[in-house]
Coordinates of all heavy atoms in Angstrom, one line a residue:
M1 N 82.7 19.4 65.7 CA 82.2 19.5 67.0 C 82.4 18.3 67.9 O 82.2 17.2 67.4 CB 80.7 19.9 66.9 CG 80.1 20.4 68.2 SD 78.5 21.2 67.9 CE 77.6 20.6 69.3
A2 N 82.9 18.5 69.1 CA 83.2 17.3 70.0 C 81.9 16.6 70.4 O 80.8 17.3 70.6 CB 83.9 17.8 71.2
K3 N 82.0 15.3 70.6 CA 80.9 14.5 71.1 C 80.6 14.8 72.5 O 81.5 14.9 73.3 CB 81.1 13.0 70.9 CG 80.6 12.4 69.7 CD 80.7 10.9 69.8 CE 80.1 10.2 68.6 NZ 80.4 8.8 68.7
K4 N 79.4 14.9 72.9 CA 79.0 15.2 74.3 C 79.1 13.8 75.1 O 78.6 12.8 74.6 CB 77.6 15.8 74.4 CG 77.6 17.3 74.5 CD 76.3 17.8 74.9 CE 76.2 19.3 75.2 NZ 74.9 19.7 75.5
A5 N 79.7 13.8 76.3 CA 79.7 12.6 77.1 C 78.2 12.4 77.6 O 77.5 13.4 77.7 CB 80.6 12.8 78.3
P6 N 77.8 11.1 77.7 CA 76.5 10.9 78.2 C 76.3 11.5 79.6 O 77.1 11.5 80.5 CB 76.4 9.3 78.3 CG 77.8 8.8 78.2 CD 78.6 9.9 77.5
R7 N 75.2 12.1 79.8 CA 74.9 12.9 81.0 C 74.6 11.9 82.1 O 73.8 11.0 82.0 CB 73.7 13.8 80.7 CG 73.6 15.0 81.5 CD 72.3 15.7 81.2 NE 71.9 16.3 82.4 CZ 71.9 17.7 82.6 NH1 72.2 18.5 81.7 NH2 71.4 18.2 83.8
R8 N 75.3 12.2 83.3 CA 75.1 11.3 84.4 C 74.0 11.9 85.3 O 73.8 13.1 85.4 CB 76.4 11.3 85.3 CG 77.4 10.3 84.8 CD 78.3 9.9 85.9 NE 77.5 9.4 87.0 CZ 78.0 9.0 88.2 NH1 79.3 9.2 88.4 NH2 77.3 8.6 89.1
R9 N 73.2 11.0 85.8 CA 72.1 11.4 86.7 C 72.6 11.5 88.1 O 73.5 10.8 88.5 CB 70.9 10.4 86.6 CG 70.3 10.3 85.2 CD 69.3 9.2 85.2 NE 68.2 9.5 86.1 CZ 67.2 8.7 86.3 NH1 67.2 7.5 85.8 NH2 66.3 9.0 87.2
P10 N 72.2 12.6 88.8 CA 72.7 12.7 90.2 C 72.2 11.6 91.1 O 71.2 10.9 90.8 CB 72.1 14.1 90.6 CG 70.9 14.3 89.7 CD 71.2 13.5 88.4
G11 N 73.0 11.4 92.2 CA 72.5 10.4 93.2 C 73.1 9.0 92.9 O 74.0 8.8 92.1
R12 N 72.7 8.1 93.8 CA 73.2 6.7 93.7 C 72.8 6.0 92.5 O 71.6 6.1 92.1 CB 72.7 6.0 95.0 CG 73.4 4.6 95.3 CD 73.0 4.2 96.7 NE 71.6 4.1 96.9 CZ 70.9 2.9 96.7 NH1 71.5 1.9 96.3 NH2 69.6 2.9 96.9
P13 N 73.8 5.4 91.8 CA 73.4 4.7 90.5 C 72.4 3.6 90.8 O 72.4 3.0 91.9 CB 74.7 4.1 90.0 CG 75.8 4.7 90.8 CD 75.2 5.2 92.1
E14 N 71.5 3.3 89.8 CA 70.5 2.2 90.0 C 71.3 0.9 90.1 O 72.4 0.8 89.6 CB 69.6 2.2 88.7 CG 68.5 3.2 88.8 CD 67.7 3.1 87.5 OE1 67.3 1.9 87.1 OE2 67.4 4.1 86.9
N15 N 70.8 0.0 90.9 CA 71.4 -1.3 91.1 C 72.6 -1.3 92.0 O 73.2 -2.3 92.3 CB 71.8 -2.1 89.8 CG 70.6 -2.2 88.9 OD1 69.5 -2.4 89.3 ND2 70.8 -2.1 87.6
A16 N 73.0 -0.1 92.5 CA 74.1 0.0 93.5 C 73.6 -0.6 94.8 O 72.5 -0.4 95.2 CB 74.5 1.5 93.6
T17 N 74.5 -1.3 95.5 CA 74.2 -1.9 96.7 C 74.2 -0.8 97.8 O 75.0 0.0 97.9 CB 75.3 -2.9 97.1 OG1 75.5 -3.8 96.0 CG2 74.9 -3.7 98.3
Q18 N 73.1 -0.9 98.6 CA 73.0 0.0 99.8 C 73.9 -0.5 100.9 O 73.8 -1.7 101.3 CB 71.5 0.0 100.3 CG 71.3 0.9 101.4 CD 70.9 2.3 101.0 OE1 70.3 2.5 100.0 NE2 71.4 3.3 101.7
V19 N 74.8 0.3 101.4 CA 75.8 0.0 102.4 C 75.5 0.8 103.6 O 75.3 2.0 103.5 CB 77.2 0.2 102.0 CG1 78.2 -0.1 103.1 CG2 77.5 -0.7 100.7
D20 N 75.4 0.2 104.8 CA 75.2 0.9 106.0 C 76.5 1.4 106.6 O 77.3 0.6 107.1 CB 74.5 0.0 107.0 CG 74.1 0.7 108.3 OD1 74.0 2.0 108.3 OD2 73.9 0.0 109.3
R21 N 76.8 2.7 106.4 CA 78.1 3.2 106.9 C 78.0 3.9 108.2 O 77.0 4.6 108.5 CB 78.6 4.3 105.8 CG 79.7 3.8 105.0 CD 80.1 4.8 103.9 NE 79.7 4.4 102.6 CZ 80.3 3.5 101.9 NH1 81.4 2.9 102.4 NH2 79.9 3.2 100.7
V22 N 79.0 3.7 109.1 CA 79.0 4.3 110.4 C 80.1 5.3 110.4 O 81.2 5.1 109.9 CB 79.3 3.2 111.5 CG1 79.4 3.9 112.8 CG2 78.2 2.2 111.5
H23 N 79.8 6.5 110.9 CA 80.8 7.6 111.0 C 81.7 7.4 112.1 O 81.3 7.3 113.3 CB 80.0 8.9 111.1 CG 80.9 10.1 110.8 ND1 80.3 11.3 110.5 CD2 82.2 10.3 110.7 CE1 81.3 12.2 110.2 NE2 82.4 11.6 110.3
V24 N 83.0 7.3 111.9 CA 84.0 7.2 112.9 C 85.0 8.3 112.8 O 85.2 8.9 111.7 CB 84.7 5.8 112.9 CG1 83.7 4.7 113.2 CG2 85.4 5.5 111.6
H25 N 85.7 8.6 113.9 CA 86.7 9.7 113.9 C 88.1 9.1 114.1 O 88.2 8.2 114.9 CB 86.4 10.7 114.9 CG 85.0 11.3 114.8 ND1 84.8 12.4 114.0 CD2 83.9 11.0 115.3 CE1 83.6 12.7 114.0 NE2 82.9 11.9 114.8
E26 N 89.1 9.7 113.5 CA 90.5 9.4 113.8 C 91.2 10.7 114.1 O 91.2 11.6 113.2 CB 91.1 8.6 112.7 CG 92.5 8.2 113.0 CD 93.1 7.4 111.8 OE1 92.9 6.2 111.8 OE2 93.9 8.0 111.0
L27 N 91.7 10.8 115.3 CA 92.5 12.0 115.7 C 94.0 11.8 115.5 O 94.5 10.9 116.1 CB 92.2 12.4 117.1 CG 90.7 12.8 117.4 CD1 90.6 13.0 118.9 CD2 90.3 14.0 116.6
R28 N 94.6 12.5 114.6 CA 96.0 12.4 114.4 C 96.8 12.9 115.7 O 96.3 13.8 116.4 CB 96.5 13.3 113.3 CG 96.1 12.8 111.9 CD 97.3 12.4 111.2 NE 97.0 11.7 110.0 CZ 97.3 12.1 108.8 NH1 97.9 13.2 108.6 NH2 96.9 11.4 107.7
A29 N 97.9 12.3 115.9 CA 98.8 12.7 117.0 C 99.1 14.2 116.8 O 99.4 14.6 115.6 CB 100.0 11.9 117.0
Q30 N 99.1 15.0 117.9 CA 99.2 16.4 117.7 C 100.3 16.9 118.6 O 100.5 16.4 119.8 CB 97.9 17.0 118.2 CG 97.7 18.5 117.9 CD 96.3 18.9 118.2 OE1 95.7 18.5 119.2 NE2 95.8 19.8 117.4
C31 N 101.1 17.8 118.1 CA 102.2 18.4 118.9 C 101.6 19.2 120.1 O 100.8 20.1 119.9 CB 103.0 19.4 118.0 SG 104.3 20.3 118.9
P32 N 102.0 18.9 121.3 CA 101.5 19.7 122.5 C 101.9 21.1 122.5 O 101.3 21.9 123.2 CB 102.0 18.9 123.7 CG 103.2 18.1 123.2 CD 103.0 17.9 121.7
R33 N 103.0 21.4 121.8 CA 103.5 22.8 121.8 C 102.9 23.7 120.8 O 102.5 24.8 121.2 CB 105.0 22.7 121.6 CG 105.8 24.0 122.0 CD 107.2 23.7 122.3 NE 108.0 23.9 121.0 CZ 109.3 23.8 120.9 NH1 110.0 23.4 121.9 NH2 109.9 24.1 119.8
C34 N 102.7 23.3 119.6 CA 102.1 24.2 118.6 C 100.8 23.7 117.9 O 100.2 24.3 117.1 CB 103.2 24.4 117.5 SG 103.4 23.0 116.3
H35 N 100.4 22.5 118.4 CA 99.1 21.9 117.9 C 99.1 21.3 116.5 O 98.1 20.9 116.0 CB 97.9 22.8 118.1 CG 97.8 23.3 119.5 ND1 97.5 22.5 120.6 CD2 98.1 24.5 120.1 CE1 97.5 23.2 121.7 NE2 97.9 24.4 121.4
S36 N 100.3 21.4 115.9 CA 100.4 20.9 114.5 C 100.2 19.3 114.5 O 100.7 18.6 115.4 CB 101.7 21.2 113.9 OG 101.9 20.7 112.6
T37 N 99.6 18.8 113.4 CA 99.6 17.4 113.2 C 100.6 16.9 112.1 O 100.6 15.8 111.8 CB 98.1 16.9 112.8 OG1 97.7 17.7 111.7 CG2 97.2 17.1 113.9
K38 N 101.4 17.9 111.6 CA 102.4 17.5 110.6 C 103.6 17.0 111.4 O 104.0 17.6 112.4 CB 102.8 18.7 109.7 CG 101.7 19.1 108.8 CD 102.1 20.1 107.8 CE 102.1 21.5 108.4 NZ 102.6 22.5 107.4
R39 N 104.3 16.0 110.9 CA 105.4 15.4 111.6 C 106.4 14.8 110.6 O 106.0 14.5 109.5 CB 105.0 14.4 112.6 CG 104.1 13.3 112.0 CD 104.0 12.1 112.8 NE 103.1 11.2 112.1 CZ 103.4 10.4 111.0 NH1 104.6 10.5 110.5 NH2 102.6 9.6 110.4
T40 N 107.6 14.5 111.1 CA 108.5 13.7 110.3 C 108.0 12.3 110.2 O 107.2 11.9 111.1 CB 109.9 13.8 110.9 OG1 109.9 13.2 112.2 CG2 110.4 15.2 111.0
P41 N 108.6 11.5 109.3 CA 108.2 10.0 109.3 C 108.6 9.4 110.7 O 109.5 9.8 111.3 CB 109.1 9.5 108.2 CG 109.4 10.6 107.3 CD 109.5 11.8 108.2
Y42 N 107.8 8.4 111.0 CA 108.0 7.7 112.3 C 109.4 6.9 112.3 O 109.8 6.4 111.3 CB 106.9 6.7 112.6 CG 105.6 7.4 113.0 CD1 104.4 7.1 112.4 CD2 105.6 8.2 114.1 CE1 103.2 7.7 112.8 CE2 104.4 8.8 114.5 CZ 103.3 8.5 113.9 OH 102.1 9.1 114.3
R43 N 110.0 6.9 113.4 CA 111.3 6.1 113.6 C 111.1 5.3 114.8 O 110.3 5.6 115.7 CB 112.5 7.1 113.8 CG 112.8 7.9 112.6 CD 113.8 9.0 113.0 NE 113.1 10.0 113.8 CZ 113.6 10.5 114.9 NH1 114.8 10.2 115.3 NH2 112.9 11.4 115.6
H44 N 111.9 4.3 114.9 CA 112.0 3.4 116.1 C 110.6 2.9 116.6 O 110.2 3.1 117.7 CB 112.6 4.2 117.3 CG 114.0 4.7 117.0 ND1 115.1 3.9 116.9 CD2 114.4 6.0 116.8 CE1 116.2 4.6 116.6 NE2 115.8 5.9 116.5
V45 N 109.9 2.3 115.6 CA 108.6 1.8 115.9 C 108.7 0.5 116.7 O 109.4 -0.5 116.2 CB 107.8 1.6 114.6 CG1 106.4 1.1 114.9 CG2 107.7 2.9 113.8
T46 N 108.1 0.4 117.8 CA 108.0 -0.9 118.6 C 106.6 -1.2 118.9 O 105.8 -0.3 119.1 CB 108.8 -0.9 119.9 OG1 108.4 0.2 120.7 CG2 110.3 -0.7 119.6
T47 N 106.2 -2.5 118.9 CA 104.8 -2.9 119.3 C 104.9 -3.6 120.6 O 105.7 -4.6 120.7 CB 104.2 -3.7 118.2 OG1 104.2 -3.0 117.0 CG2 102.8 -4.1 118.5
I48 N 104.0 -3.3 121.5 CA 103.9 -3.9 122.8 C 102.6 -4.7 122.8 O 101.5 -4.0 122.5 CB 104.0 -2.9 124.0 CG1 105.3 -2.2 123.9 CG2 103.8 -3.6 125.3 CD1 105.3 -0.9 124.8
H49 N 102.6 -6.0 123.1 CA 101.3 -6.7 123.2 C 100.8 -6.5 124.6 O 101.1 -7.3 125.5 CB 101.6 -8.2 122.9 CG 102.1 -8.4 121.5 ND1 101.3 -8.2 120.4 CD2 103.3 -8.7 121.1 CE1 102.0 -8.4 119.3 NE2 103.3 -8.7 119.7
H50 N 100.1 -5.5 124.8 CA 99.5 -5.2 126.1 C 98.1 -4.6 125.9 O 98.0 -3.7 125.2 CB 100.4 -4.1 126.8 CG 99.9 -3.6 128.1 ND1 99.9 -4.3 129.2 CD2 99.3 -2.4 128.3 CE1 99.3 -3.6 130.2 NE2 98.9 -2.4 129.7
G51 N 97.2 -5.2 126.6 CA 95.8 -4.7 126.4 C 95.3 -3.9 127.6 O 95.9 -3.9 128.7
G52 N 94.2 -3.2 127.4 CA 93.6 -2.4 128.4 C 92.5 -1.6 127.8 O 91.9 -1.9 126.7
T53 N 92.1 -0.5 128.4 CA 91.2 0.5 127.9 C 91.8 1.9 128.0 O 92.5 2.2 129.0 CB 89.8 0.4 128.6 OG1 90.0 0.7 130.0 CG2 89.1 -0.9 128.4
I54 N 91.5 2.7 127.1 CA 91.8 4.1 127.1 C 90.6 4.9 126.6 O 90.0 4.6 125.6 CB 93.1 4.4 126.3 CG1 93.5 5.9 126.5 CG2 93.0 4.1 124.9 CD1 94.9 6.2 126.1
D55 N 90.1 5.9 127.4 CA 88.9 6.6 127.1 C 87.7 5.7 126.8 O 87.0 5.8 125.9 CB 89.1 7.6 125.9 CG 90.1 8.6 126.2 OD1 90.3 8.9 127.4 OD2 90.7 9.2 125.3
D56 N 87.6 4.6 127.6 CA 86.5 3.6 127.5 C 86.6 2.8 126.2 O 85.7 2.1 125.9 CB 85.2 4.2 127.6 CG 84.9 4.8 129.0 OD1 85.4 4.2 130.0 OD2 84.3 5.8 129.1
R57 N 87.7 2.8 125.5 CA 87.9 2.0 124.3 C 88.9 0.9 124.6 O 90.0 1.2 125.0 CB 88.4 2.9 123.2 CG 87.3 3.9 122.7 CD 87.8 4.7 121.6 NE 88.5 3.9 120.5 CZ 88.9 4.4 119.4 NH1 88.7 5.6 119.1 NH2 89.5 3.6 118.5
P58 N 88.6 -0.3 124.3 CA 89.5 -1.4 124.5 C 90.7 -1.4 123.5 O 90.4 -1.0 122.3 CB 88.7 -2.7 124.4 CG 87.5 -2.3 123.5 CD 87.3 -0.8 123.7
Y59 N 91.8 -1.9 123.9 CA 92.9 -2.0 122.9 C 93.7 -3.3 123.3 O 93.6 -3.8 124.5 CB 93.9 -0.8 122.9 CG 94.6 -0.6 124.2 CD1 95.8 -1.1 124.5 CD2 94.0 0.3 125.2 CE1 96.5 -0.9 125.6 CE2 94.7 0.5 126.4 CZ 95.9 -0.1 126.6 OH 96.6 0.2 127.8
T60 N 94.4 -3.9 122.3 CA 95.2 -5.1 122.6 C 96.7 -4.9 122.4 O 97.4 -5.7 122.8 CB 94.7 -6.2 121.6 OG1 94.8 -5.7 120.3 CG2 93.2 -6.6 121.9
H61 N 97.0 -3.9 121.6 CA 98.4 -3.6 121.3 C 98.7 -2.1 121.4 O 97.8 -1.3 121.2 CB 98.8 -4.0 119.9 CG 98.6 -5.4 119.6 ND1 97.4 -6.0 119.5 CD2 99.5 -6.4 119.3 CE1 97.5 -7.3 119.2 NE2 98.8 -7.6 119.1
V62 N 99.9 -1.7 121.7 CA 100.3 -0.3 121.7 C 101.6 -0.2 120.8 O 102.5 -1.0 121.0 CB 100.7 0.2 123.1 CG1 101.0 1.7 123.1 CG2 99.6 -0.1 124.1
E63 N 101.5 0.7 119.9 CA 102.7 1.0 119.0 C 103.3 2.3 119.6 O 102.6 3.3 119.8 CB 102.2 1.3 117.6 CG 102.2 0.1 116.7 CD 101.8 0.4 115.3 OE1 101.8 1.6 114.9 OE2 101.6 -0.5 114.5
K64 N 104.6 2.2 119.9 CA 105.4 3.3 120.3 C 106.3 3.8 119.2 O 107.0 3.0 118.6 CB 106.2 3.0 121.5 CG 105.5 2.4 122.7 CD 105.1 3.5 123.6 CE 104.4 2.9 124.9 NZ 103.9 4.0 125.8
K65 N 106.2 5.1 118.8 CA 106.9 5.6 117.7 C 107.5 6.9 118.0 O 106.9 7.7 118.8 CB 106.0 5.8 116.5 CG 105.0 4.7 116.2 CD 104.1 5.1 115.2 CE 103.0 4.0 114.9 NZ 102.3 4.2 113.7
R66 N 108.6 7.2 117.4 CA 109.3 8.5 117.6 C 109.2 9.3 116.3 O 109.2 8.8 115.2 CB 110.7 8.4 118.0 CG 110.9 7.8 119.3 CD 112.3 7.7 119.7 NE 112.5 6.9 120.9 CZ 113.7 6.6 121.5 NH1 114.8 7.0 120.9 NH2 113.7 5.9 122.6
A67 N 109.0 10.6 116.5 CA 108.9 11.6 115.4 C 109.3 12.9 115.9 O 109.5 13.1 117.1 CB 107.5 11.6 114.7
Q68 N 109.2 13.9 115.0 CA 109.5 15.3 115.3 C 108.4 16.1 114.7 O 108.0 15.9 113.6 CB 110.9 15.7 114.8 CG 111.6 16.6 115.7 CD 113.1 16.8 115.2 OE1 113.6 16.0 114.5 NE2 113.6 18.0 115.4
C69 N 108.0 17.1 115.4 CA 107.0 18.0 114.8 C 107.6 18.7 113.6 O 108.7 19.3 113.7 CB 106.5 19.1 115.9 SG 105.4 20.3 115.2
A70 N 106.8 18.7 112.5 CA 107.4 19.3 111.3 C 107.3 20.8 111.3 O 107.9 21.5 110.5 CB 106.6 18.8 110.1
D71 N 106.5 21.4 112.2 CA 106.4 22.9 112.3 C 107.3 23.5 113.3 O 107.9 24.5 113.1 CB 104.9 23.2 112.6 CG 104.1 23.1 111.3 OD1 104.5 23.6 110.2 OD2 103.0 22.5 111.3
C72 N 107.4 22.9 114.6 CA 108.2 23.6 115.6 C 109.4 22.8 116.0 O 110.2 23.2 116.8 CB 107.3 24.0 116.8 SG 107.0 22.6 117.9
G73 N 109.5 21.5 115.5 CA 110.7 20.7 115.8 C 110.6 20.0 117.1 O 111.6 19.3 117.5
Q74 N 109.5 20.0 117.9 CA 109.4 19.3 119.1 C 109.6 17.8 118.9 O 109.0 17.3 118.0 CB 108.0 19.6 119.8 CG 107.7 18.8 121.0 CD 108.5 19.2 122.2 OE1 108.6 20.4 122.5 NE2 109.1 18.2 122.8
H75 N 110.4 17.2 119.7 CA 110.5 15.7 119.6 C 109.3 15.1 120.3 O 108.9 15.5 121.3 CB 111.8 15.3 120.3 CG 113.0 15.6 119.5 ND1 113.6 14.8 118.6 CD2 113.7 16.8 119.5 CE1 114.7 15.4 118.1 NE2 114.8 16.6 118.6
L76 N 108.8 14.0 119.6 CA 107.5 13.4 120.1 C 107.7 11.9 120.3 O 108.4 11.2 119.5 CB 106.4 13.6 119.0 CG 106.1 15.0 118.6 CD1 105.3 15.1 117.4 CD2 105.5 15.8 119.7
M77 N 107.1 11.3 121.3 CA 107.0 9.9 121.5 C 105.5 9.7 121.3 O 104.7 10.1 122.1 CB 107.4 9.5 122.9 CG 107.1 8.0 123.2 SD 108.0 6.8 122.2 CE 109.5 6.7 123.1
V78 N 105.1 9.0 120.2 CA 103.7 8.8 119.9 C 103.3 7.4 120.3 O 103.9 6.4 119.9 CB 103.4 9.0 118.4 CG1 102.0 8.8 118.0 CG2 103.9 10.4 118.0
S79 N 102.2 7.2 121.0 CA 101.6 5.9 121.4 C 100.3 5.7 120.6 O 99.4 6.6 120.7 CB 101.3 5.8 122.9 OG 102.5 5.9 123.6
V80 N 100.2 4.7 119.8 CA 99.0 4.4 119.1 C 98.4 3.1 119.6 O 99.0 2.1 119.7 CB 99.3 4.2 117.6 CG1 98.1 3.9 116.8 CG2 100.0 5.5 117.0
Y81 N 97.1 3.2 120.0 CA 96.4 2.1 120.7 C 95.6 1.3 119.7 O 94.8 1.9 119.0 CB 95.6 2.6 121.8 CG 96.4 3.2 122.9 CD1 96.8 4.6 122.8 CD2 96.9 2.5 124.0 CE1 97.6 5.2 123.8 CE2 97.7 3.1 124.9 CZ 98.0 4.4 124.8 OH 98.9 5.0 125.8
L82 N 95.9 0.0 119.5 CA 95.2 -0.8 118.5 C 94.4 -1.8 119.1 O 94.7 -2.4 120.1 CB 96.3 -1.4 117.6 CG 97.3 -0.5 117.0 CD1 98.5 -1.3 116.4 CD2 96.7 0.4 115.9
F83 N 93.3 -2.1 118.5 CA 92.5 -3.3 118.9 C 92.4 -4.2 117.7 O 91.9 -3.9 116.6 CB 91.0 -2.8 119.3 CG 90.2 -4.0 119.8 CD1 90.3 -4.4 121.1 CD2 89.4 -4.7 118.9 CE1 89.5 -5.4 121.6 CE2 88.7 -5.8 119.4 CZ 88.7 -6.1 120.7
E84 N 92.9 -5.4 117.9 CA 92.9 -6.4 116.8 C 92.2 -7.6 117.3 O 92.4 -8.1 118.4 CB 94.4 -6.8 116.4 CG 95.0 -5.5 115.8 CD 96.5 -5.8 115.4 OE1 97.0 -6.9 115.5 OE2 97.1 -4.8 115.0
P85 N 91.3 -8.1 116.5 CA 90.4 -9.3 117.0 C 91.2 -10.5 117.4 O 92.3 -10.7 116.9 CB 89.6 -9.6 115.7 CG 89.6 -8.3 114.9 CD 90.9 -7.7 115.2
A86 N 90.6 -11.3 118.3 CA 91.3 -12.3 119.0 C 91.9 -13.3 118.0 O 93.0 -13.8 118.2 CB 90.4 -13.1 119.9
E87 N 91.3 -13.7 116.8 CA 91.8 -14.7 115.9 C 93.1 -14.2 115.3 O 93.9 -15.1 115.0 CB 90.8 -15.1 114.8 CG 90.4 -13.9 113.9 CD 89.0 -13.3 114.4 OE1 88.7 -13.5 115.6 OE2 88.4 -12.7 113.6
D88 N 93.4 -12.9 115.3 CA 94.7 -12.5 114.8 C 95.8 -12.7 115.8 O 97.0 -12.5 115.5 CB 94.6 -11.0 114.5 CG 93.8 -10.7 113.2 OD1 93.4 -11.7 112.5 OD2 93.4 -9.6 113.0
Q89 N 95.5 -13.0 117.0 CA 96.5 -13.1 118.1 C 96.9 -14.6 118.2 O 97.8 -14.8 119.0 CB 95.9 -12.7 119.4 CG 95.6 -11.2 119.4 CD 95.0 -10.7 120.7 OE1 94.6 -11.6 121.5 NE2 95.0 -9.5 121.0
L90 N 96.4 -15.5 117.4 CA 96.8 -16.9 117.5 C 98.3 -17.1 117.3 O 98.9 -18.0 117.8 CB 96.0 -17.8 116.6 CG 94.5 -17.9 116.9 CD1 93.7 -18.6 115.8 CD2 94.3 -18.5 118.3
G91 N 98.9 -16.3 116.4 CA 100.3 -16.4 116.1 C 101.2 -15.8 117.0 O 102.4 -15.8 116.8
L92 N 100.7 -15.2 118.1 CA 101.6 -14.5 119.1 C 102.6 -15.5 119.7 O 102.3 -16.6 120.1 CB 100.8 -13.9 120.2 CG 100.1 -12.6 119.9 CD1 99.4 -12.1 121.2 CD2 101.0 -11.6 119.3
D93 N 103.9 -15.1 119.7 CA 104.9 -16.0 120.2 C 105.5 -15.5 121.5 O 106.4 -16.1 122.1 CB 106.0 -16.3 119.2 CG 106.6 -15.0 118.6 OD1 106.2 -13.9 119.0 OD2 107.5 -15.1 117.8
E94 N 105.0 -14.3 121.9 CA 105.6 -13.8 123.2 C 104.4 -13.4 124.1 O 103.4 -12.9 123.7 CB 106.6 -12.7 123.0 CG 106.1 -11.6 122.0 CD 107.1 -10.6 121.7 OE1 107.3 -9.7 122.5 OE2 107.8 -10.7 120.7
E95 N 104.6 -13.6 125.4 CA 103.6 -13.1 126.4 C 104.0 -11.7 126.8 O 105.1 -11.3 126.7 CB 103.7 -14.0 127.6 CG 103.3 -15.5 127.4 CD 101.8 -15.6 127.1 OE1 101.0 -14.9 127.8 OE2 101.5 -16.4 126.2
P96 N 103.0 -10.9 127.2 CA 103.3 -9.6 127.6 C 104.2 -9.6 128.9 O 104.0 -10.4 129.7 CB 101.9 -9.0 128.0 CG 100.9 -10.1 127.8 CD 101.6 -11.3 127.2
A97 N 105.1 -8.7 128.9 CA 106.0 -8.6 130.0 C 105.3 -8.0 131.2 O 104.8 -6.9 131.1 CB 107.3 -7.9 129.6
N98 N 105.3 -8.7 132.3 CA 104.7 -8.1 133.5 C 105.7 -7.9 134.6 O 106.5 -8.7 135.0 CB 103.6 -9.0 134.1 CG 102.3 -8.9 133.2 OD1 102.1 -7.9 132.6 ND2 101.6 -10.0 133.0
Ligands
ZN1 ZN1 105.0 21.6 117.1

């Protein structure tokens, strides 16, 4: 007869650290034609050091990427807005083009 594994008690293990987690959402880029979020791998990725706000959210960089919808074949230009803390910008060697 096989040995029984020790029974685990439900819930958080004793001595586990309590972490305050905040719920955040990430919306995948979506095809405007068929609404699919499936796509081919990104190509021609470029990063622009340009800051601003979009939907009241600040950003410091914009990634521009090309892909194709995996379901209907629509060609896509995807812009991803990133916010990176100021200390990460110390190594910037180029100014934003105005
Ligand atoms: Zn599509």
Side-chain angles (χ1 to χ4, degrees):
M1 196 165 138
K3 262 189 180 174
K4 265 191 171 177
R7 210 182 142 110
R8 279 204 54 187
R9 298 175 60 188
R12 193 165 57 90
E14 280 178 49
N15 305 324
T17 310
Q18 180 87 38
V19 176
D20 187 19
R21 255 177 249 284
V22 178
H23 197 162
V24 295
H25 301 275
E26 183 176 279
L27 297 176
R28 285 250 171 116
Q30 192 172 37
C31 174
R33 200 158 90 179
C34 74
H35 306 291
S36 175
T37 54
K38 289 190 282 179
R39 54 161 178 76
T40 61
Y42 285 127
R43 292 169 290 137
H44 304 288
V45 180
T46 57
T47 301
I48 301 166
H49 300 287
H50 171 77
T53 57
I54 184 164
D55 297 336
D56 295 323
R57 290 179 49 173
Y59 64 89
T60 56
H61 298 70
V62 185
E63 271 183 8
K64 302 269 187 187
K65 313 173 184 194
R66 292 182 190 177
Q68 213 173 332
C69 176
D71 283 313
C72 77
Q74 173 69 52
H75 288 266
L76 306 166
M77 172 66 88
V78 179
S79 295
V80 178
Y81 297 86
L82 306 167
F83 184 86
E84 294 177 7
E87 59 264 21
D88 289 350
Q89 295 179 345
L90 293 174
L92 285 184
D93 54 358
E94 49 185 275
E95 294 292 318
N98 285 328

